[in-house]
């Protein structure tokens, strides 16, 4: 039986509903730039870094901006996002995720965060879950974002665990692709995801026993 050695968690949309805040902040910015924006298009931005997301929005709207203007709009989006995350508390943990993280940790499996967000550190601190993560890999520590496998490979390396013994937990298609390219088991949160090894409807369905059975 194959043993799970590490579980690598995405943050936004897996541990807390900040995916919704990213959506709202990008929507506001797109409206300001007069670019159509809806939930279907937003799916393409999930898991994708800040500047890359802005580039996708501009491409979608057929607009070009100078590097200086792009920096301005990206930081404007981030200011709005930072206001939204400023009052996050442990009550904002998605249902069932705390129990699942505790179950994983107390069973001796290593845990890491693998988040494309540069705001990951303050968010996990406000959520009160830093003690449940052995390592934190965020956007500042990688060169290539999801769907590139770098972030998951780096998290496994920091945990000193083989990729084949790791499970990545993701709500974004770009994230599932990154996990699969890393040679790991992909646990997808959200029924619209493709190519994941196990898909749950939401975080209330996460539990170690079911995961172990599927991983074996
Ligand atoms: C990812 C989100 O976790 O982080 C994306 O899924 C977001 O929506 C990306 O764009 C970058 O986040 P930040 O906080 O660095 O702008
Ligand atoms: Mg996510």
């Amino acid at each position: 039986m194959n043993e799970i050695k590490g579980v690598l968690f995405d943050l936004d949309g897996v541990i807390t509903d900040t995916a919704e805040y990213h959506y709202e902040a990008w929507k506001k910015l797109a409206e300001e730039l007069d670019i159509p924006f809806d939930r279907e298009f937003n799916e393409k931005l999930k898991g994708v870094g800040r500047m890359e997301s802005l580039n996708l929005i501009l491409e979608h709207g057929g607009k070009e901006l100078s590097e200086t203007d792009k920096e301005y709009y990206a930081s404007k989006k981030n200011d709005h996002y930072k206001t939204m995350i400023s009052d996050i508390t442990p009550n904002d943990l998605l249902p069932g995720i705390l129990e699942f993280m505790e179950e994983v940790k107390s069973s001796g499996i290593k845990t890491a965060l693998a988040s494309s967000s540069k705001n990951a550190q303050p968010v996990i601190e406000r959520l009160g879950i830093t003690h449940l993560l052995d390592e934190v890999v965020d956007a500042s520590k990688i060169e290539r974002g999801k769907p590139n496998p770098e972030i998951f490979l780096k998290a496994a390396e920091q945990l000193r665990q083989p990729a084949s013994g790791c499970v990545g937990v993701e709500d974004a298609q770009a994230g599932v692709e990154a996990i699969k390219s890393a040679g790991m088991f992909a646990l997808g949160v959200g029924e619209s995801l493709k190519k994941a090894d196990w898909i749950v409807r939401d975080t209330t369905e996460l539990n170690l026993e079911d995961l172990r059975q599927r991983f074996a």
Side-chain angles (χ1 to χ4, degrees):
M1 186 163 160
N2 289 331
E3 238 185 276
I4 302 172
K5 308 266 191 209
V7 179
L8 319 175
F9 293 89
D10 171 49
L11 174 64
D12 300 321
V14 167
I15 295 180
T16 183
D17 205 9
T18 35
E20 190 62 19
Y21 294 169
H22 282 295
Y23 163 73
E24 281 173 28
W26 282 128
K27 189 171 189 305
K28 191 169 180 221
L29 193 85
E31 276 162 8
E32 192 180 321
L33 290 164
D34 220 7
I35 294 175
F37 194 90
D38 56 21
R39 285 190 182 271
E40 194 191 334
F41 178 72
N42 183 62
E43 285 302 308
K44 294 191 173 59
L45 307 183
K46 283 190 180 170
V48 174
R50 195 182 307 160
M51 196 46 95
E52 227 180 314
S53 298
L54 178 60
N55 283 332
L56 288 172
I57 291 169
L58 293 172
E59 195 185 301
H60 180 64
K63 276 206 163 67
E64 276 183 37
L65 291 179
S66 68
E67 286 309 310
T68 320
D69 283 351
K70 281 201 232 171
E71 289 295 341
Y72 167 79
Y73 284 113
S75 96
K76 191 166 186 182
K77 180 266 173 180
N78 194 46
D79 288 345
H80 186 200
Y81 180 72
K82 276 178 23 187
T83 312
M84 288 193 278
I85 59 171
S86 63
D87 52 8
I88 278 182
T89 73
N91 286 333
D92 294 298
L93 284 162
L94 280 165
I97 192 72
L98 182 65
E99 294 75 2
F100 180 61
M101 290 179 83
E102 284 172 345
E103 201 184 1
V104 170
K105 188 93 173 83
S106 66
S107 75
I109 297 170
K110 298 282 176 203
T111 59
L113 192 78
S115 169
S116 310
S117 172
K118 290 188 176 148
N119 294 294
Q121 195 61 48
V123 171
I124 57 168
E125 279 166 23
R126 280 168 209 157
L127 290 169
I129 52 163
T130 46
H131 66 291
L132 293 172
L133 294 161
D134 297 309
E135 294 290 337
V136 173
V137 182
D138 65 17
S140 66
K141 299 194 181 136
I142 51 147
E143 277 168 26
R144 288 149 302 173
K146 301 167 188 176
N148 189 287
E150 186 181 353
I151 194 160
F152 288 101
L153 290 172
K154 183 147 196 130
E157 188 190 308
Q158 288 195 196
L159 292 178
R160 297 174 201 278
Q161 301 302 328
S164 59
C166 289
V167 173
V169 192
E170 264 291 347
D171 70 314
Q173 192 58 46
V176 169
E177 267 146 42
I179 296 166
K180 292 316 297 169
S181 300
M184 298 175 183
F185 182 100
L187 201 180
V189 180
E191 283 177 311
S192 64
L193 292 170
K194 294 178 185 73
K195 299 188 232 168
D197 299 293
W198 180 31
I199 293 179
V200 293
R201 206 171 346 140
D202 57 46
T203 45
T204 62
E205 289 182 7
L206 294 171
N207 72 84
L208 190 53
E209 198 187 323
D210 284 352
L211 175 61
R212 277 190 165 131
Q213 273 178 23
R214 283 166 171 90
F215 187 87

